[in-house]
């Protein structure tokens, strides 16, 4: 019997996460939790069960949860909230069957690896990360928690990316690079040198554009 889970979030990103969970066939989604949608509304075939308070009352009826919110900082805040409501609730990860996870690689709890993504040998993907379709993170890399890789972004091996950083669509990060926490690497950038924390950088080669604050909108 598959494990019963709830998905927190009911927007466009949640649909992509639901699709990955359905294709993985490891979990049964009992419904969605959302703070902005009415109970009973159907989203992508699933009922909105309630908001975060639903968890406090019904945690014993489910085996796990996943937060399906695209913005890294907001996802982090929701994970923190759910942990405070229900500390023992396990977060599940979702891996599309067409993703390739090499030997020795590890995917953290709450993380989503979408269709065609490739994770190289001995690479550590942290908790609550998102690898969108056709992302490639090469060998021996360390990706901290709440990092996102937009579609077709790629990194070479031995890369380190700090928590809450976002690598935008089609960006390329060469091998051995360190990107600090809370950075945004803009669409189609080519990162050839290290990026300091709290930086927006883009272009080829990627250049410092400005600093950014924790939680600043980037989508
Ligand atoms: C980094 C990002 C957020 C834009 O940052 P920003 O500095 O706020 O950019 P703005 O929109 O204010 O644009 C400022 C200038 O930089 C340019 N610019 C913006 N992003 C750029 C990029 N990635 N590469 C080159 N130039 C860029 C704009 O054209 C604009 O130029 P102008 O002043 O000559 O008109 C955006 O490039 C990005 O990557 N967004 C995420 C996209 C993504 O991954 N989506 C998929 C999610 S699943």
């Amino acid at each position: 019997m598959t494990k019963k889970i709830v998905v927190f979030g009911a927007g466009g990103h949640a649909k992509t996460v639901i699709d990955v969970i359905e294709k993985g066939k490891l979990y049964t989604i009992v419904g969605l939790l959302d703070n902005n949608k009415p109970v009973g509304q159907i989203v992508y075939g699933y009922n909105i069960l309630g908001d975060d308070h639903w968890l406090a009352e019904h945690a014993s009826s489910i085996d796990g949860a996943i937060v399906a919110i695209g913005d890294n900082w907001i996802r982090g805040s929701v994970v923190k909230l759910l942990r405070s409501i229900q500390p023992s609730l396990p977060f599940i990860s979702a891996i599309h069957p067409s993703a390739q996870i090499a030997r020795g690689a590890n995917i953290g709890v709450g993380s989503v690896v979408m269709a065609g993504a490739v994770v190289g040998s001995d690479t550590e993907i942290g908790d609550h990360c998102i690898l969108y379709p056709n992302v490639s993170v090469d060998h021996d890399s360390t990706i901290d928690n709440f990092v996102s890789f937009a579609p077709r972004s790629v990194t070479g091996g031995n890369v380190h990316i700090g928590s809450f950083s976002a690598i935008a669509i089609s960006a390329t990060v060469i091998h051995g690079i360190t990107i600090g926490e809370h950075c945004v690497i803009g669409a189609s950038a080519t990162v050839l040198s290290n990026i300091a924390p709290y930086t927006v950088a883009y272009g080829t080669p990627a250049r410092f554009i400005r600093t950014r604050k924790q939680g600043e909108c980037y989508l």
Side-chain angles (χ1 to χ4, degrees):
M1 209 172 71
T2 58
K3 291 183 172 175
K4 293 179 187 164
I5 61 151
V6 289
V7 174
F8 196 103
H13 178 71
K15 291 182 183 179
T16 65
V17 174
I18 288 168
D19 185 64
V20 173
I21 295 167
E22 288 176 345
K23 296 263 166 42
K25 296 192 168 102
L26 291 176
Y27 303 103
T28 299
I29 300 169
V30 297
L32 313 183
L33 303 182
D34 192 278
N35 285 343
N36 301 309
K37 291 200 162 69
V39 173
Q41 186 179 333
I42 305 288
V43 174
Y44 212 45
Y46 295 95
N47 244 319
I48 305 283
L49 302 171
D51 55 17
D52 43 273
H53 299 293
W54 185 93
L55 261 192
E57 292 164 29
H58 298 90
S60 60
S61 67
I62 54 167
D63 301 305
I66 190 162
V67 179
I69 295 173
D71 181 282
N72 293 337
W73 183 250
I74 299 173
R75 189 168 66 265
S77 307
V78 170
V79 166
K80 205 170 161 185
L81 175 71
L82 299 188
R83 274 204 195 114
S84 73
I85 294 172
Q86 200 49 251
S88 60
L89 181 72
F91 287 106
I92 63 119
S93 57
I95 300 173
H96 194 280
S98 70
Q100 302 287 329
I101 315 292
R103 183 161 60 79
N106 187 50
I107 310 296
V109 298
S111 288
V112 182
V113 182
M114 296 193 184
V118 179
V119 178
S121 320
D122 286 338
T123 281
E124 286 286 332
I125 305 289
D127 296 343
H128 306 282
C129 292
I130 307 167
L131 276 63
Y132 283 92
N134 296 318
V135 162
S136 179
V137 181
D138 217 336
H139 65 93
D140 297 298
S141 294
T142 304
I143 310 304
D144 292 345
N145 300 337
F146 299 103
V147 168
S148 60
F149 293 87
R152 290 200 180 279
S153 56
V154 292
T155 82
N158 291 298
V159 158
H160 178 208
I161 301 184
S163 55
F164 295 98
S165 285
I167 313 301
I169 194 160
S170 281
T172 300
V173 181
I174 67 160
H175 65 281
I177 292 293
T178 294
I179 294 175
E181 58 185 340
H182 297 278
C183 288
V184 173
I185 305 302
S188 293
T190 311
V191 181
L192 302 178
S193 53
N194 293 345
I195 306 288
Y198 295 88
T199 296
V200 176
Y202 48 71
T204 296
R207 301 262 184 237
F208 171 91
I209 302 294
R210 58 185 162 83
T211 55
R212 67 185 292 270
K213 295 192 180 76
Q214 194 170 276
E216 200 178 298
C217 181
Y218 62 94
L219 288 174

